[in-house]
Amino acid sequence: MNIFKKIVTLVLITITVSCQDSKSSKVFTESDIVIIPKPVELTLQQGSFEFNDQTQFVIADASQKEIVSILSDKFKNAAGWSLKISEKAPQSNFIEFITDHTLSDEGYELIVTSDKVTIKAKSYSGFLYALESIRQLLPTQIESKTIANNTDWVIPNLIIKDQPRFKWRGLHLDVARHFFKKEYIMQTIDMLAMHKMNVFHFHLVDDQGWRIEIKKYPKLTEIGGFRNDQEDAHWDGRRVTTPEDDATYGGFYTQEDIKEIVAYAKTKGVRVVPEIEMPAHVMSAIAAYPELSCFETPIGVPSGGVWPITEIYCAGKDSTFEFLENVLLEVMELFPSEYIHVGGDEATKTNWAKCPQCQKRMKDEGLTNVDQLQSYFIKRMERFISSHGRKLIGWDEILEGGIAPEATVMSWRGFEGGIEATKQGHDVVMTPTSHMYFDYYQGPQNLEPLAWGSYIPLSKVYQFDPVVETMTPEQAKHVLGGQANLWAEQIKTEAHSQYMIFPRLAALSEVVWSPKSSRNWDDFSQRITSLFERYEYLDVNYAKSAYLVMEEVVMDMDKKEVLLSLKNEFTDADIRYTLNENQLSNNAIKYTEPLKINTTTTIHASLFKEDKAVGVPFSTTIEFHKAVGKKVSFKEAYNERYQGEGEFGLTNTLRGTKNFMDGHWQAWLNKDMEAVVDLEVPTPISEVILGALENQGPDIYFPTSVTVSVSDDGINFKEVGTVKRAFVKNPTSDLKDFKVSFQEQSVRYVKVVATNLKTIASGNGVWLFVDEIIIN
């Protein structure tokens, strides 16, 4: 009987070991490792380490408990385990933290064997980043908020030696134009840590809102923190506010909120850099304290865009500097950041040129122009900031008129400001509009939420590099790193904000962390899909714009044939399409070459992954109507800035997009459009459609009416129909077809008159944009 028991026990032990081995015997390949940003060195080895409910964390000091929580909280949610923390290592099945002062400040080494996981780092951040790498080695289900059954919590045996390429890896978030709650700021900081980013640039002050409590000046938030609610109108189409207007939109962070945010960021290895604008972008402060301006004219907090920005701080009054110093004293008490950002951009200094006190300041200081006065302003603030052990950083306009000795430059107007600053021996952070403005579109405008008009897709962010090839090695040493900027004029909600940040932040994270030589778009575009899965579990409203299929269309007028090309951000993308079906179907054809279209055709297309359509399907109709290729004459020619495709621009089947600079639009400024289409021979028709665009920010409005008249001789016209549309405030960008239907009749000439909305007050005039006249 005892022998039998021993045999049974041995069999059970064998089965148990076998089961454990089966889980940990998964064979990993390099393609299974999808860490973003890509580590500097990674050596894959045989075998794997398996987490279970007995796995322990062995820490070197109490501060590391906060780091451990990043992973232990994940396991509690996804596996139901409460993993222990100890200071003494068991024989196996543990993650140990070892302090190694030979490593770089944010670097780490990660050694995974079947028995244990060893993390070596010099600093808190190094340990944190190592744990973030382990997180990405684990199955994506580790991000689940509920128990993920049937998941093997196994990671490959490997050695990672990793450290960042740049020490400034940042994201700028504008909360002045639209206010976001404290909880969203902290969620964003979580995501920065996940991507090994370490700077949160907190844009707390702008014309449209003052968002930080300053106890010495309570009206900054009482008045400056709120504005008249005009959210129903386009940002650049809002009326000028007055001090008497109701101010109901806004909000601010109390000093306790700020302390909480800063403390939380510290646990995530993120430093918070506050931005307190000066001398411009401060109308919210002037609305609260008019005496800060040159002429002390009472103003309201603007509800939308302001240009040019002439209401700025008075540089001639000592009281202005006293105010700013008092503000910064409270700011520096709240933010331990080495850097204090002072803005310094887009100051229109016409008031300084007229202000007696500013002119006296210039005379007293021996300054010859207002640019030098701005330089004096920034240098004076830099001396104050330096005297408190901090560093001033500002947008590249602080170079104008001479830069403060210890100032750091944030180069946004291209790379030039950064190049010039490094020549002068100043540190720079590169954040050019060409690659780093995340408030720009990341996909086709017709399929994207409202943004500013330029185009920065995921792949373009990945092409960015903070060091310019023309820099000398000495200049390159002054490049601290790179940063993305999300300005919030068009960003009204936290969900929209997330959409604009992710996944572009992932591309930036690899740019500023990984060696340039290791970057490869094809490799990255394969790894990013795993990160998308993590975003899904984390409820991150990320953009799927990289999946979107885009079209390029060209009309061959001689052949009356359209060439339609389909493309995607991914190299060798598997794009499939159908023709003249209700939707994309299983009969989809693999796209290999441009489609030749010579009759009305509807195209549906999508990117495919593993034989499944992904992302939002693409759909368009090329309509070959009775006016295609017919000449159009105009009473008033279209504006030379928007000529479309010229003579046949309105009869070539090519439709414009919400991007009014796409080359398909013809436009009239402060004029009606009156066009006559010659069908060449009498043709039976019963419908005319005019395609138009509205984007009230840049003063593009739908016509107020479209009238159609017909003629046999081109001289005597008979009106056959009209449609009218009253002006409506529109905060978005829209496309609309104005359709005029009438009883069928045979005619040769068709006149279309679109009435321009000339009654809207605008310093720039009113535009009317048209892309096609369709005649059926």
Side-chain angles (χ1 to χ4, degrees), residues 55 58 157 162 189 204 223 293 317 347 399 429 520 631 637 654 742 773:
T55 304
V58 181
N157 288 350
D162 205 8
I189 289 169
L204 291 159
I223 296 175
S293 64
K317 299 175 183 176
L399 286 162
V429 176
N520 179 284
K631 289 186 178 180
L654 306 184
F742 46 89
I773 296 175

Side-chain angles (χ1 to χ4, degrees), residues 509-684:
S509 75
E510 189 145 305
V511 165
V512 292
W513 179 282
S514 307
K516 186 177 181 181
S517 59
S518 73
R519 296 213 316 261
N520 179 284
W521 169 248
D522 291 344
D523 173 53
F524 176 80
S525 62
Q526 292 296 321
R527 284 181 288 123
I528 193 71
T529 56
S530 174
L531 198 56
F532 289 170
E533 291 181 28
R534 295 180 188 274
Y535 290 163
E536 295 279 357
Y537 279 112
L538 292 167
D539 295 325
V540 172
N541 186 41
Y542 70 99
K544 302 174 181 66
S545 309
Y547 285 147
L548 295 176
V549 174
M550 294 169 280
E551 64 175 334
E552 287 184 356
V553 286
V554 177
M555 179 69 172
D556 185 329
M557 295 305 298
D558 293 331
K559 296 182 179 179
K560 299 292 189 295
E561 183 177 78
V562 169
L563 283 178
L564 185 143
S565 302
L566 301 175
K567 63 178 183 177
N568 184 270
E569 278 203 74
F570 298 122
T571 307
D572 298 325
D574 182 7
I575 297 173
R576 305 181 194 181
Y577 67 92
T578 58
L579 300 177
N580 296 322
E581 296 190 16
N582 291 331
Q583 58 187 6
L584 203 63
S585 69
N586 294 332
N587 300 321
I589 306 163
K590 186 176 177 64
Y591 173 81
T592 57
E593 60 183 3
L595 308 179
K596 296 180 179 180
I597 298 170
N598 54 21
T599 186
T600 296
T601 304
T602 297
I603 304 101
H604 298 291
S606 179
L607 176 70
F608 275 70
K609 292 275 189 182
E610 298 177 353
D611 290 326
K612 293 182 180 179
V614 294
V616 178
F618 163 84
S619 181
T620 191
T621 297
I622 305 296
E623 187 167 358
F624 276 77
H625 50 91
K626 294 182 178 180
V628 171
K630 308 304 182 186
K631 289 186 178 180
V632 184
S633 58
F634 299 100
K635 182 178 181 181
E636 296 275 1
Y638 41 78
N639 191 279
E640 62 182 11
R641 290 169 58 186
Y642 303 102
Q643 301 186 44
E645 282 87 9
E647 183 179 10
F648 299 100
L650 299 188
T651 56
N652 61 1
T653 79
L654 306 184
R655 305 304 302 272
T657 67
K658 291 181 182 179
N659 176 9
F660 61 87
M661 294 183 288
D662 66 9
H664 295 316
W665 294 99
Q666 294 182 344
W668 287 259
L669 179 61
N670 295 327
K671 297 175 182 177
D672 297 339
M673 184 212 76
E674 183 173 320
V676 175
V677 182
D678 182 358
L679 297 175
E680 299 176 355
V681 296
T683 305

Side-chain angles (χ1 to χ4, degrees), residues 168 171-173 198-204 262 270-276 331 335-342 391 393 410 483:
W168 188 296
L171 171 70
H172 159 285
L173 193 65
N198 67 348
V199 176
F200 179 68
H201 178 167
F202 209 0
H203 188 84
L204 291 159
V262 170
V270 174
R271 51 182 163 156
V272 184
V273 176
E275 182 174 358
I276 307 297
V331 168
F335 295 92
S337 166
E338 176 186 8
Y339 292 92
I340 304 295
H341 203 297
V342 298
K391 293 182 179 179
I393 185 169
M410 195 166 272
Q483 175 176 291

